[in-house]
Amino acid sequence: MFLRDIEPRDKWQDRVCRLGFDFFEVSQKYPYWVDDRYFQFDMGQVDQVDKASEALHDMSIKAVQHVIENDMLDKFGVPVQYHQLIKHSWRTDKSYLYGRFDLAWDGKHPPKLLEYNAQTPTSLFEASVVAWDWLECNVSRGLLPSYTDQFNILDEQLILQFKTLLVEKQPETPILHFIVSEESEEDLRTVKYLAACADEAGWESIWLDTGDIQLTEDQRFADHESKLITTAFWLYPYEFALLDEYAQYIEHAGMKFIEPLWKVLLSSKALLPVLWQLYPGHENLLPCYFSDDPKVCLIKDKVTKPIYSREGANISIVFAGEDIEISDGCYGAEGFVTQQYWPLAKFQYGRCVIGSWMVGRVGSGISVRESYSRITDDVARFIPHVII
């Protein structure tokens, strides 16, 4: 695992904007896309991450079954009035689209699971389309060998999985509503990309802003043109949706979800202590407990995280009782988990977390984000990668 410098492409900002990637920087102070560096892996390393990710995914699905069968939904902060809704979702629909593991990995030792973003993972478009375009450009410029590859089969697998879902979801019609908040450029780009993949797979996509969803007189959901929403992909955290005033209508709305409602469990960090309980000592897991568990005292260097949070918010890192790093935020009402600290790979410009993408049950790509701090936050940088 090497970090390499490369000459940036001429007017690369214009090129990525033409691709639809106009959020290539957080601000002038904080670039997001990095065009002049890349990570180099070999095929054996990629296979290691791929194998670990597929194993972790299978374990995670079994962990969801354990949670459902043992009535542990309260541990995940699911409102009690929606426990049966989540259980029904699990019993009736086990088909889904995608997710992203965040892994600590140095290219040598077994990857360690930090969390699973399995319901609303973003950075998908840049991992699939923008990174591949960067690779092709640099091969064409002669700066990378012609045999250079990338672990990136996201586009193909997403289309294939949407074809599978068109059969497994058994929709009333092939119309698929993609629901997103138009205020987020990144979320909107993610949804438009997914909609394009769905269209190629045979769906007929319609996308709309979350605020334009209507409730009909018979308490079903409709779009901005009053068309019923019968099948939906909703890029909105389900833990928030279940607190919304309209959540009470979901059960009888006759709407199917591309990402079933039980996916809220896979996106919760409460999954981590359950995995450790079921698979203690597994080489890809770190010791983790709910923060009110007395066993937390067994962990010397620890990371405490909210059960639900976004972009590194409300995380504290403690070494032997001393605060090392703390991030603020508005999360934590549902509780916290405490996980053994594991260092991120450190290079010249920061520490790196590996994003390992799952489409269905298939490992489909990796991405690398780099932060100055130990906590990967909302100003982390995206670094492309190659396989040589």
Side-chain angles (χ1 to χ4, degrees), residues 13 40 70 191 198-199 205 210 254 262 365:
Q13 295 91 339
Q40 177 182 320
N70 290 274
V191 160
D199 287 341
S205 67
T210 300
W262 58 260

Side-chain angles (χ1 to χ4, degrees), residues 63-76:
V64 170
Q65 182 171 352
H66 176 82
V67 170
I68 297 290
E69 291 178 350
N70 290 274
D71 291 321
M72 297 176 64
L73 293 177
D74 56 330
K75 287 284 192 179
F76 285 71

Side-chain angles (χ1 to χ4, degrees), residues 10 91 96 99 110 113 230 236 240 263 294 306:
D10 185 42
R91 288 193 301 267
Y96 47 86
L113 174 62
T230 56
Y236 184 67
F240 295 164
K263 270 287 199 101

Side-chain angles (χ1 to χ4, degrees), residues 97-98 124-125 128-129 153-164 166 176 178 189-205 359:
L97 183 61
Y98 75 141
L124 176 69
F125 179 71
S128 177
V129 176
I153 56 171
L154 285 162
D155 206 67
E156 304 96 301
Q157 288 300 132
L158 285 166
I159 293 169
L160 182 61
Q161 188 66 6
F162 271 119
K163 288 181 179 179
T164 300
L166 189 53
L176 173 54
F178 285 83
R189 180 66 265 179
T190 298
V191 160
K192 286 184 175 181
Y193 170 58
L194 287 172
C197 292
D199 287 341
E200 192 162 342
W203 292 89
E204 298 173 16
S205 67
V359 179

Side-chain angles (χ1 to χ4, degrees), residues 76 100 102 114-121 237 239-240 264 267-270 272 303-316 327-337 375-376:
F76 285 71
R100 190 195 72 230
D102 283 350
L114 302 178
E115 62 181 74
Y116 196 8
N117 302 289
Q119 192 247 312
T120 58
E239 66 268 22
F240 295 164
V264 69
S267 290
S268 171
K269 294 172 189 67
L272 300 172
V303 181
T304 298
K305 318 174 186 183
I307 286 175
Y308 296 108
S309 67
R310 294 288 183 275
E311 298 179 326
N314 298 100
I315 291 176
S316 64
S327 61
D328 57 14
C330 58
Y331 301 97
E334 296 84 3
F336 292 81
V337 300
I375 299 172
T376 305

Side-chain angles (χ1 to χ4, degrees), residues 108-159:
K108 301 175 184 177
H109 302 95
K112 300 294 186 181
L113 174 62
L114 302 178
E115 62 181 74
Y116 196 8
N117 302 289
Q119 192 247 312
T120 58
T122 49
S123 76
L124 176 69
F125 179 71
E126 46 270 44
S128 177
V129 176
V130 184
W132 189 257
D133 182 70
W134 173 91
L135 173 64
E136 290 186 326
C137 285
N138 284 302
V139 169
S140 296
R141 293 198 299 162
L143 297 183
L144 291 172
S146 60
Y147 54 82
T148 305
D149 203 354
Q150 203 174 69
F151 183 31
N152 182 358
I153 56 171
L154 285 162
D155 206 67
E156 304 96 301
Q157 288 300 132
L158 285 166
I159 293 169

Side-chain angles (χ1 to χ4, degrees), residues 302-303 315-319 322-325 341 374-375:
K302 61 192 72 176
V303 181
I315 291 176
S316 64
I317 300 176
V318 176
F319 291 173
E322 180 181 353
D323 291 338
I324 301 299
E325 282 189 23
Y341 173 81
R374 291 178 174 86
I375 299 172

